[in-house]
Amino acid sequence: ITNGSQQALDLIGKLFIDADSCVMTSEPTYLGALQAWNVYQACYVTVPQDEDGILVDQIPAILARTKKPRLLYVLPNFHNPAGTTIPLERRLRLVEIAREHDLVLIEDDPYGELRYEGEEITHFYRLAPERTIYLSTFSKTLAPGFRIGWVTAPKAIIQKFVQAKQGSD
């Protein structure tokens, strides 16, 4: 349990990011994540988007010519600020790429529960539970001032989150 998703983003910075770390993300991406990680001197590798979200088929070529990122940050449902939702086919391909390149997926999903039509698309934490850190919050669905979020991740990562959070709280 975190103080909103924003605290979870900060904890990711504490645990995974330093001056030698790069984060891969879509262009554009959520400003709050960048603000949380800039404190830890993150560098960024960006991937363009279209109306269906991050262009996953461009990732291998980008990885071949840039400093290898440790993390791949995605907002799969109702992306902020782009508004896109990644379809299942792209999610499956992204999981393949993450496994092939040993990337940890950060699935930031504050808006997923706001789907009013269409079928829910399988989450990354269901497709690749061994390498996904899933974040969500009640501040978008229950009440904006209700700063309660949560993290779902592999047990070893959750243990690190607990230790880092104890230092914050």
Side-chain angles (χ1 to χ4, degrees):
I1 302 295
T2 59
N3 186 8
S5 287
Q6 196 64 36
Q7 184 184 38
L9 291 167
D10 179 64
L11 291 169
I12 288 168
K14 284 181 181 179
L15 294 172
F16 292 96
I17 298 172
D18 56 35
D20 293 328
S21 303
C22 279
V23 178
M24 178 172 269
T25 187
S26 62
E27 174 69 37
T29 197
Y30 173 55
L31 180 61
L34 301 179
Q35 290 170 329
W37 298 333
N38 286 344
V39 172
Y40 302 100
Q41 301 178 334
C43 71
Y44 301 98
V45 176
T46 60
V47 182
Q49 293 193 75
D50 66 10
E51 64 278 352
D52 287 326
I54 191 167
L55 294 169
V56 297
D57 287 332
Q58 291 188 18
I59 293 174
I62 293 169
L63 288 171
R65 68 176 185 263
T66 62
K67 182 177 179 181
K68 185 180 180 212
R70 181 182 303 179
L71 305 170
L72 198 163
Y73 176 67
V74 293
L75 295 112
N77 298 304
F78 318 116
H79 182 286
N80 178 0
T84 59
T85 295
I86 303 172
L88 181 59
E89 303 78 37
R90 282 194 192 181
R91 292 178 192 216
L92 293 169
R93 178 69 180 124
L94 194 61
V95 165
E96 286 176 24
I97 292 167
R99 286 183 174 135
E100 182 179 323
H101 294 278
D102 195 27
L103 300 169
V104 175
L105 292 167
I106 309 299
E107 180 177 12
D108 192 358
D109 191 32
Y111 306 106
E113 294 296 320
L114 297 175
R115 181 178 304 280
Y116 297 110
E117 60 184 44
E119 295 292 318
E120 181 178 307
I121 303 170
T122 306
H123 291 277
F124 285 104
Y125 77 88
R126 298 256 188 243
L127 298 171
E130 77 285 358
R131 68 179 52 256
T132 303
I133 300 171
Y134 176 82
L135 318 175
S136 196
T137 181
F138 287 118
S139 66
K140 306 298 186 274
T141 56
L142 187 58
F146 202 52
R147 305 294 304 154
I148 296 181
W150 63 93
V151 177
T152 301
K155 187 174 183 176
I157 292 174
I158 289 294
Q159 289 172 341
K160 290 179 182 183
F161 263 84
V162 169
Q163 290 175 340
K165 191 171 181 308
Q166 286 172 344
S168 296
D169 294 347

